[in-house]
Amino acid sequence: MKKRVMRPIAAIIAVILFATVLAGCNNDRNNANDPGRTADTPEFVFVPEHITLPDDIRSMDNLSYANGRLYFSSWHFSEEDRISRSSIFTMDLDGTNLRELPNYSQPAPPEGATGEDVSGSVNINGLHIDGDGNLWVVESGSFWGMNLPEDFDGEEWERWEYQYEIGSVMMLRKLDNTGAEILSVDISEIANEPHFFLRTFNIDGDGNIYVAADSAIYVLNSDGRMQFRLEVENWIDQLIRMPDGSIAFSGWMGTGRGLRKIDFAAREFGEIIEVPVNARGIFTGSGEYSVIFDDGIGLSGIETETGETVRLLSWIGSDVAGEGMESVVVLPDGRVLVTSRTWNRVTGESRFEIIILTQVPYDSLPPRTTITMATVGLDSQLRNAVVNFNRTNPSYRIQVNDFSEFNTQDDWTAGFTRLTTELIAGRVPDILNVSSMMPFQQYVARGLLVDLYPFIDADPAFNRGDFIESVFRATEVDGGLYQIFPSFSISTLVGNPAVLGAGMGWNMSEFRAVLNANPQADMPMGFGFDRNSFLTQFIMMSMNEYVDWAAGETHFDSDEFIQLLEFAYTFPDEIDWANMDWDDFIEAPELIADGRQLMMTTWVNDFQRIQLDRAIFGGEIVFKGVPTEGRDGHTLQTGTGLAITSRAVDPDGAWAFLRTILTEEWQRENVQWDFPTNRAVFDERVEEAMTPEYFIDEDGNEVEIARWGTGMGSVMVNVYSATQQDVDQIMALIDAVSGTSGHNESLMNIITEGAADFFSGRRTAQDAARVIQSRASIFIAEQT
């Protein structure tokens, strides 16, 4: 950003840009090997104040600010009359003096929308405050009745066959600051459309009202009288009030996302302002910024003069998780107010809070040591872990450098490329997120990562037996543990033991023998594989079979790999998905029943999925894995993987953070869909999975309640509590897991390019394997 004399709000936001990187940190490591650090110390920084709202606030929608107070809508559901109702609340910025507007009442429902067999609700879709302090709200709702026969005695879900629509409500209303109605306008009559769908509304600086449908904007004056209507070519995301008081709509402009002003006087559209594709929430700007937007990483502003995008603040750097973010308001005094909803992922419990970022002198903060973490993307659990650590740890602070912000619509790998460039240049962080597309094994071979077993052994709260040891062992490189992760699943091949053989695992010869014994199986793996997709999936699931990073060796000239190439050749060269006749698509259960499919890939991440697999194959199943010489081709899929680099200046500080995602407390609250790695939490999940729930039927019999229903194709299954057989079979699979899914873009390119020579007939399978082996061995030698 070029230097300039900035207006007050722009200057304050600029301070945030620098402060979020440095707030409360010890900057004694300012050298070329420390990315993201700077020797400059700002005079001021912004720190968060967290204000938790009462538990009975179930939602916090349509936040508006005026005259020192916040206004928002919230809803509750009445069990008595089965109707959801919205209320409007106001409170001071510090969360005190919270009260409901006493004179607010919702619009009357349509005629006939009362009674015990009526359901429906009226919701507040938007709330804005005009220059006189009046509240404008848009409310809409639909109502249904239930015309049940007198002799109805069916199941609860069968009631909905007798539902009919009564009518709908769509109102624009002006209220005073107590909620009393001043003006009411029926929007549906103004639109004069049979299926009008409201998207958003706003008020310009002169009090004119703008109401947006899917592809039209209706403009009313301050008395609610229709002025004009504008059509848009695509759709409307938001209506934004600009700093000059005008209104602009955001949406797709043909070449990308953008903002387009509405010229009230000319009754037409004005100029277009380009907006980045990653802008997921756009807010009114101030000073030199036409708009401010949230891109998930932080707030950015679009400069009015240049159209340039400038990073203003990082959510994590401001101790704000960014998850559940609902509103952002830049207050007149320069503070930034956000509302956030946090929840326990396992229990589903949530709470709302207000976070106010306030300017304080930098020198007033106690010093802490900065621990840098590099990542390409950040899942919500890890984001929350960083924020909670930074809020509570008195000695260390995690600074996240998320390289995904460099991704573009044309290149979604640009962030990874940028991180790779940083690492090659020697700008190495303390912690590296090795999830997703990261070449973890390559990093270990290059000595970039350190063994974490010594940290576990030295931690007074842990020992190796506190974790699922076979799972950690599967990620080992030469006996060392170079990443830790809080959750895992396993990918494997599954099928009927009567067809595939009873024992877990097989080698390539046994795999080919099963194929030869079943010539009718023209789709042995199922529908949708072509040569490259099959080869890529198999190699990723069995990379450890062909590459030994620790020894710097490759084995692509083995008989097993040659047989794999030959089998891959039996698949179609490619599948034309764009022109495919989907009437020809056949689901796995039908193919398996006809003998055309013998096995399928399955991902095991709980103790109940096995019930669906048994139903699909019509009986018992066996986990075979991909064929490997050791008959152990079951592949570990890790959740968030974190590593400490060998260049970490304070490894103990890095471990202080890493250990948090291994604790019982963290995994109990955050690991929901996969298996936890903490043994105590894992054992709790086993007990929970095996504990049935019952109800008493009309005959007094105890009947087990299904956990959920699931299915594939024609097979539908009610999933019940896990049996001891289920648990034993899955535990045997977990104990047998041998390696992690391997992804290395350069290595995969070598394999697919060499395989293409065989698929095209330019080389034999043996010659192609020799070429792949030669190129791969040179590549591995260069990396190690």
Side-chain angles (χ1 to χ4, degrees), residues 178-470:
T178 72
E181 181 182 297
I182 300 173
L183 177 68
S184 178
V185 179
D186 188 329
I187 300 178
S188 59
E189 290 184 359
I190 290 177
N192 194 26
E193 295 181 12
H195 300 290
F196 179 85
F197 179 73
L198 174 76
R199 294 197 65 85
T200 182
F201 93 107
N202 213 322
I203 306 172
D204 70 17
D206 295 322
N208 300 303
I209 315 297
Y210 298 71
V211 178
D214 278 335
S215 57
I217 299 171
Y218 303 85
V219 183
L220 295 70
N221 68 9
S222 58
D223 294 328
R225 292 194 297 271
M226 182 73 173
Q227 301 300 297
F228 60 94
R229 178 180 187 270
L230 295 174
E231 293 277 353
V232 300
E233 291 184 3
N234 293 293
W235 66 85
I236 301 162
D237 289 331
Q238 292 176 264
L239 290 173
I240 309 298
R241 181 167 171 172
M242 306 299 286
D244 62 4
S246 65
I247 298 295
F249 82 90
S250 69
W252 188 260
M253 303 295 172
T255 58
R257 288 199 67 192
L259 281 168
R260 190 164 192 181
K261 283 189 173 184
I262 298 170
D263 188 330
F264 182 86
R267 301 193 172 196
E268 63 184 17
F269 291 120
E271 63 177 307
I272 295 177
I273 301 171
E274 292 185 1
V275 177
V277 293
N278 60 347
R280 64 185 191 184
I282 304 176
F283 312 98
T284 299
S286 185
E288 62 184 298
Y289 300 106
S290 57
V291 292
I292 294 169
F293 66 86
D294 170 22
D295 62 5
I297 296 174
L299 280 183
S300 295
I302 298 178
E303 292 182 326
T304 303
E305 293 181 5
T306 66
E308 203 176 300
T309 297
V310 178
R311 169 70 67 201
L312 304 178
L313 65 85
S314 156
W315 293 127
I316 291 181
S318 302
D319 289 351
V320 177
E323 182 188 26
M325 195 83 69
E326 304 212 346
S327 300
V328 177
V329 177
V330 179
L331 300 172
D333 60 5
R335 291 181 295 170
V336 178
L337 181 148
V338 301
T339 62
S340 177
R341 180 175 61 177
T342 59
W343 58 85
N344 183 308
R345 296 184 175 278
V346 177
T347 66
E349 296 175 351
S350 64
R351 63 186 177 90
F352 286 86
E353 67 177 3
I354 296 172
I355 305 170
I356 300 179
L357 301 172
T358 306
Q359 184 185 38
V360 300
Y362 174 84
D363 294 338
S364 67
L365 298 176
R368 287 191 285 174
T369 299
T370 299
I371 304 295
T372 56
M373 180 171 74
T375 182
V376 181
L378 200 64
D379 64 51
S380 57
Q381 290 98 324
L382 184 57
R383 181 187 300 272
N384 288 336
V386 171
V387 168
N388 291 334
F389 182 86
N390 286 346
R391 290 184 190 178
T392 57
N393 192 285
S395 303
Y396 301 104
R397 179 180 182 85
I398 306 297
Q399 173 192 303
V400 176
N401 298 323
D402 187 351
F403 287 82
S404 67
E405 68 176 303
F406 298 108
N407 291 344
T408 67
Q409 192 170 11
D410 297 326
D411 184 3
W412 291 99
T413 65
F416 172 72
T417 302
R418 178 71 171 263
L419 172 58
T420 301
T421 301
E422 294 283 302
L423 296 176
I424 292 173
R427 291 186 284 273
V428 179
D430 300 306
I431 298 171
L432 191 61
N433 183 350
V434 293
S435 308
S436 188
M437 63 189 300
M438 295 294 194
F440 165 71
Q441 298 271 11
Q442 183 178 342
Y443 291 157
V444 176
R446 286 201 159 211
L448 182 64
L449 310 179
V450 300
D451 184 4
L452 299 178
Y453 274 141
F455 291 92
I456 293 177
D457 296 340
D459 196 307
F462 293 147
N463 62 66
R464 300 191 192 191
D466 291 330
F467 309 103
I468 310 300
E469 292 182 82
S470 62

Side-chain angles (χ1 to χ4, degrees), residues 554-572:
T554 60
H555 307 286
F556 291 104
D557 54 353
S558 65
D559 289 339
E560 289 77 13
F561 183 73
I562 292 170
Q563 291 183 62
L564 181 62
L565 284 178
E566 291 172 342
F567 179 55
Y569 183 71
T570 66
F571 289 89

